[in-house]
Amino acid sequence: MKLETVLGAVALLSACVVGQAEVNEEKLKVSVYYESLCPDSKRFIRTQLYPVKRSSLGDKFVVELIPYGKATTTPTSTSYEFSCQHGENECNGNKMHACALKYINSTQVQLDFVHCSMSTRNPPQSLTECAAKLDIVDPVEEIRTCAEGAEGSELLARNGVETHALRPKLYFVPWITYNGVFSEENLQNSQDSFKTVVCSELKKNGHSCNGGISLENSATTMRHLILGIVIFQFCNKILS
Protein backbone atom coordinates (compact mmCIF):
# COMPACT_ATOMS: atom_id res chain seq x y z
CA MET A 1 0.00 0.00 0.00
CA LYS A 2 1.37 3.45 -0.93
CA LEU A 3 2.40 5.73 1.91
CA GLU A 4 0.16 8.54 0.69
CA THR A 5 -2.81 6.18 0.77
CA VAL A 6 -2.08 5.26 4.36
CA LEU A 7 -1.68 8.91 5.38
CA GLY A 8 -4.91 9.80 3.67
CA ALA A 9 -6.79 7.04 5.41
CA VAL A 10 -5.34 8.07 8.78
CA ALA A 11 -6.27 11.72 8.25
CA LEU A 12 -9.80 10.93 7.19
CA LEU A 13 -10.23 8.39 9.97
CA SER A 14 -9.04 10.94 12.53
CA ALA A 15 -11.53 13.47 11.29
CA CYS A 16 -14.33 10.94 11.37
CA VAL A 17 -13.42 9.80 14.87
CA VAL A 18 -13.45 13.39 16.15
CA GLY A 19 -16.81 14.01 14.51
CA GLN A 20 -18.26 10.77 15.80
CA ALA A 21 -17.09 11.58 19.32
CA GLU A 22 -19.18 14.73 19.20
CA VAL A 23 -22.21 12.80 18.00
CA ASN A 24 -21.76 10.27 20.82
CA GLU A 25 -21.70 12.80 23.65
CA GLU A 26 -23.22 11.63 26.90
CA LYS A 27 -26.99 11.58 26.91
CA LEU A 28 -28.99 14.02 28.98
CA LYS A 29 -29.64 12.60 32.45
CA VAL A 30 -33.05 13.25 33.98
CA SER A 31 -33.26 12.43 37.70
CA VAL A 32 -36.72 12.11 39.25
CA TYR A 33 -37.11 12.12 43.05
CA TYR A 34 -40.61 10.87 43.77
CA GLU A 35 -42.99 9.15 46.20
CA SER A 36 -45.06 6.06 45.47
CA LEU A 37 -48.33 7.57 46.77
CA CYS A 38 -47.79 11.18 45.76
CA PRO A 39 -50.54 12.33 43.35
CA ASP A 40 -48.18 14.74 41.59
CA SER A 41 -45.58 11.99 41.20
CA LYS A 42 -48.16 9.65 39.75
CA ARG A 43 -49.42 12.25 37.31
CA PHE A 44 -45.94 13.28 36.16
CA ILE A 45 -44.76 9.72 35.57
CA ARG A 46 -47.96 8.70 33.79
CA THR A 47 -48.60 11.78 31.63
CA GLN A 48 -45.17 13.34 31.12
CA LEU A 49 -42.12 11.19 31.81
CA TYR A 50 -43.30 7.86 30.43
CA PRO A 51 -44.90 9.07 27.16
CA VAL A 52 -41.88 11.21 26.29
CA LYS A 53 -39.40 8.46 27.15
CA ARG A 54 -41.35 6.05 24.93
CA SER A 55 -41.36 8.52 22.03
CA SER A 56 -38.60 9.03 19.45
CA LEU A 57 -37.08 11.55 21.84
CA GLY A 58 -36.52 8.84 24.43
CA ASP A 59 -33.20 7.71 22.97
CA LYS A 60 -31.70 11.10 23.71
CA PHE A 61 -31.95 10.99 27.49
CA VAL A 62 -31.63 8.55 30.37
CA VAL A 63 -33.85 8.42 33.42
CA GLU A 64 -32.78 7.98 37.04
CA LEU A 65 -35.60 7.17 39.47
CA ILE A 66 -35.17 7.81 43.21
CA PRO A 67 -38.18 6.83 45.36
CA TYR A 68 -38.08 8.64 48.70
CA GLY A 69 -39.32 12.24 48.43
CA LYS A 70 -40.09 14.09 51.67
CA ALA A 71 -39.49 11.07 53.88
CA THR A 72 -37.20 11.03 56.91
CA THR A 73 -34.85 8.29 58.07
CA THR A 74 -33.97 7.45 61.66
CA PRO A 75 -31.24 4.85 62.24
CA THR A 76 -31.98 2.25 64.92
CA SER A 77 -29.75 -0.32 66.57
CA THR A 78 -30.66 -2.91 63.94
CA SER A 79 -32.10 -1.06 60.93
CA TYR A 80 -33.94 2.16 60.11
CA GLU A 81 -37.28 3.75 60.83
CA PHE A 82 -38.91 5.78 58.09
CA SER A 83 -41.61 8.42 58.13
CA CYS A 84 -43.20 9.16 54.76
CA GLN A 85 -45.37 12.04 53.65
CA HIS A 86 -48.34 9.80 52.84
CA GLY A 87 -47.92 7.29 55.62
CA GLU A 88 -46.39 3.88 56.24
CA ASN A 89 -47.90 2.36 53.12
CA GLU A 90 -45.97 4.86 51.02
CA CYS A 91 -42.74 3.87 52.77
CA ASN A 92 -43.49 0.26 51.80
CA GLY A 93 -44.14 1.34 48.24
CA ASN A 94 -40.92 3.31 48.10
CA LYS A 95 -39.03 0.23 49.32
CA MET A 96 -40.71 -1.98 46.76
CA HIS A 97 -39.82 0.44 43.96
CA ALA A 98 -36.23 0.71 45.18
CA CYS A 99 -35.95 -3.09 45.14
CA ALA A 100 -37.54 -3.34 41.68
CA LEU A 101 -35.08 -0.77 40.35
CA LYS A 102 -32.24 -2.92 41.69
CA TYR A 103 -33.41 -6.34 40.53
CA ILE A 104 -34.93 -5.52 37.13
CA ASN A 105 -31.92 -5.40 34.83
CA SER A 106 -33.40 -3.55 31.86
CA THR A 107 -33.68 0.21 32.34
CA GLN A 108 -36.66 0.24 29.97
CA VAL A 109 -38.46 -2.46 31.92
CA GLN A 110 -37.65 -0.61 35.14
CA LEU A 111 -39.50 2.43 33.79
CA ASP A 112 -42.29 0.22 32.43
CA PHE A 113 -42.71 -1.26 35.89
CA VAL A 114 -42.73 2.06 37.74
CA HIS A 115 -45.20 3.46 35.21
CA CYS A 116 -47.45 0.43 35.64
CA SER A 117 -47.25 0.64 39.41
CA MET A 118 -47.98 4.37 39.49
CA SER A 119 -50.98 3.78 37.24
CA THR A 120 -52.66 1.46 39.74
CA ARG A 121 -54.92 2.52 42.60
CA ASN A 122 -52.46 1.22 45.19
CA PRO A 123 -48.85 1.35 43.92
CA PRO A 124 -47.28 -0.20 47.06
CA GLN A 125 -49.32 -3.38 46.45
CA SER A 126 -48.82 -3.53 42.69
CA LEU A 127 -45.85 -5.90 42.41
CA THR A 128 -47.82 -9.03 41.46
CA GLU A 129 -50.16 -7.18 39.10
CA CYS A 130 -47.46 -5.29 37.21
CA ALA A 131 -45.04 -8.22 37.09
CA ALA A 132 -47.77 -10.30 35.41
CA LYS A 133 -48.70 -7.49 33.04
CA LEU A 134 -45.07 -6.96 31.97
CA ASP A 135 -44.17 -10.68 31.99
CA ILE A 136 -41.54 -10.14 34.67
CA VAL A 137 -40.85 -13.60 36.12
CA ASP A 138 -37.38 -14.22 37.56
CA PRO A 139 -36.84 -11.26 39.91
CA VAL A 140 -40.34 -11.10 41.41
CA GLU A 141 -39.56 -13.07 44.55
CA GLU A 142 -36.22 -11.29 44.92
CA ILE A 143 -38.04 -7.96 44.77
CA ARG A 144 -40.63 -9.13 47.30
CA THR A 145 -38.02 -10.48 49.71
CA CYS A 146 -35.97 -7.32 49.34
CA ALA A 147 -38.96 -5.03 49.94
CA GLU A 148 -40.07 -6.90 53.05
CA GLY A 149 -36.62 -7.25 54.58
CA ALA A 150 -33.50 -5.42 55.63
CA GLU A 151 -32.28 -4.92 52.09
CA GLY A 152 -35.29 -2.78 51.19
CA SER A 153 -34.67 -0.59 54.23
CA GLU A 154 -31.03 -0.22 53.29
CA LEU A 155 -31.88 0.78 49.72
CA LEU A 156 -34.45 3.31 50.92
CA ALA A 157 -31.97 4.74 53.42
CA ARG A 158 -29.45 5.23 50.59
CA ASN A 159 -32.10 7.03 48.57
CA GLY A 160 -32.66 9.19 51.62
CA VAL A 161 -28.99 10.12 51.80
CA GLU A 162 -29.03 11.11 48.13
CA THR A 163 -32.28 13.04 48.47
CA HIS A 164 -31.23 14.92 51.60
CA ALA A 165 -27.97 15.88 49.89
CA LEU A 166 -29.81 17.80 47.16
CA ARG A 167 -29.02 21.50 46.89
CA PRO A 168 -31.26 23.34 47.02
CA LYS A 169 -33.14 21.06 49.38
CA LEU A 170 -36.14 19.23 47.96
CA TYR A 171 -39.35 21.11 48.74
CA PHE A 172 -41.67 19.67 46.05
CA VAL A 173 -42.35 16.17 44.79
CA PRO A 174 -41.61 15.09 42.11
CA TRP A 175 -38.28 16.91 42.22
CA ILE A 176 -36.51 16.87 38.86
CA THR A 177 -32.93 17.67 37.89
CA TYR A 178 -31.27 17.72 34.48
CA ASN A 179 -27.66 16.52 34.42
CA GLY A 180 -27.69 16.97 38.18
CA VAL A 181 -28.67 20.64 37.99
CA PHE A 182 -31.87 22.01 39.51
CA SER A 183 -33.85 24.90 38.07
CA GLU A 184 -37.07 26.27 39.52
CA GLU A 185 -38.25 27.11 36.02
CA ASN A 186 -37.50 23.61 34.76
CA LEU A 187 -39.25 22.05 37.76
CA GLN A 188 -42.43 24.01 37.15
CA ASN A 189 -42.44 23.57 33.38
CA SER A 190 -41.68 19.86 33.59
CA GLN A 191 -44.97 19.15 35.36
CA ASP A 192 -46.98 19.86 32.20
CA SER A 193 -44.39 20.44 29.43
CA PHE A 194 -41.69 17.86 30.10
CA LYS A 195 -40.93 17.38 26.41
CA THR A 196 -40.30 21.10 25.94
CA VAL A 197 -37.87 21.16 28.86
CA VAL A 198 -36.02 18.09 27.58
CA CYS A 199 -35.66 19.70 24.16
CA SER A 200 -34.37 22.89 25.71
CA GLU A 201 -31.77 20.99 27.76
CA LEU A 202 -30.71 18.94 24.73
CA LYS A 203 -30.12 22.09 22.71
CA LYS A 204 -27.89 23.46 25.47
CA ASN A 205 -25.66 20.43 24.88
CA GLY A 206 -25.62 20.91 21.11
CA HIS A 207 -28.22 18.27 20.25
CA SER A 208 -31.27 18.64 18.06
CA CYS A 209 -34.68 17.64 19.36
CA ASN A 210 -35.65 16.19 15.98
CA GLY A 211 -32.75 13.78 15.50
CA GLY A 212 -29.06 14.07 14.78
CA ILE A 213 -26.88 16.83 16.15
CA SER A 214 -27.27 20.58 16.02
CA LEU A 215 -26.12 22.71 13.09
CA GLU A 216 -23.26 24.01 15.21
CA ASN A 217 -21.91 20.51 15.87
CA SER A 218 -22.50 19.52 12.25
CA ALA A 219 -20.40 22.48 11.11
CA THR A 220 -17.64 21.53 13.55
CA THR A 221 -17.62 17.98 12.25
CA MET A 222 -17.36 19.26 8.67
CA ARG A 223 -14.44 21.48 9.61
CA HIS A 224 -12.61 18.48 11.05
CA LEU A 225 -13.25 16.52 7.88
CA ILE A 226 -11.92 19.33 5.69
CA LEU A 227 -8.88 19.66 7.95
CA GLY A 228 -8.16 15.95 7.53
CA ILE A 229 -8.28 16.30 3.74
CA VAL A 230 -5.95 19.32 3.83
CA ILE A 231 -3.44 17.46 6.02
CA PHE A 232 -3.54 14.52 3.63
CA GLN A 233 -2.87 16.74 0.60
CA PHE A 234 -0.04 18.55 2.40
CA CYS A 235 1.67 15.30 3.40
CA ASN A 236 1.17 13.90 -0.10
CA LYS A 237 2.99 16.88 -1.63
CA ILE A 238 5.91 16.62 0.79
CA LEU A 239 6.41 12.91 0.19
CA SER A 240 5.88 12.94 -3.57
Side-chain angles (χ1 to χ4, degrees), residues 5-17 224-225 227-233:
T5 302
V6 174
L7 288 172
V10 171
L12 290 173
L13 179 59
S14 298
C16 289
V17 168
H224 284 138
L225 181 58
L227 178 61
I229 295 173
V230 171
I231 292 174
F232 160 62
Q233 293 176 337

Side-chain angles (χ1 to χ4, degrees), residues 60-169:
K60 295 180 177 292
F61 68 96
V62 295
V63 176
E64 178 186 31
L65 296 167
I66 306 96
Y68 186 84
K70 293 183 178 180
T72 60
T73 304
T74 303
T76 67
S77 58
T78 57
S79 183
Y80 303 92
E81 290 182 357
F82 301 98
S83 176
C84 295
Q85 183 174 201
H86 300 93
E88 183 179 357
N89 195 34
E90 178 171 82
C91 291
N92 294 334
N94 292 345
K95 288 181 187 180
M96 189 270 283
H97 279 204
C99 292
L101 291 169
K102 174 179 179 179
Y103 284 102
I104 297 174
N105 294 326
S106 165
T107 55
Q108 182 57 61
V109 179
Q110 288 175 0
L111 184 58
D112 289 340
F113 178 83
V114 171
H115 170 259
C116 174
S117 176
M118 298 295 269
S119 300
T120 65
R121 296 185 63 180
N122 189 8
Q125 303 300 321
S126 62
L127 174 58
T128 300
E129 176 184 345
C130 289
K133 182 176 181 180
L134 298 171
D135 197 26
I136 299 172
V137 180
D138 292 338
V140 173
E141 288 309 312
E142 289 177 303
I143 294 171
R144 195 185 313 279
T145 299
C146 169
E148 295 175 355
E151 185 179 17
S153 295
E154 185 63 39
L155 292 175
L156 189 58
R158 291 179 192 174
N159 285 353
V161 171
E162 181 175 349
T163 301
H164 290 304
L166 289 167
R167 294 294 180 272
K169 292 184 177 180

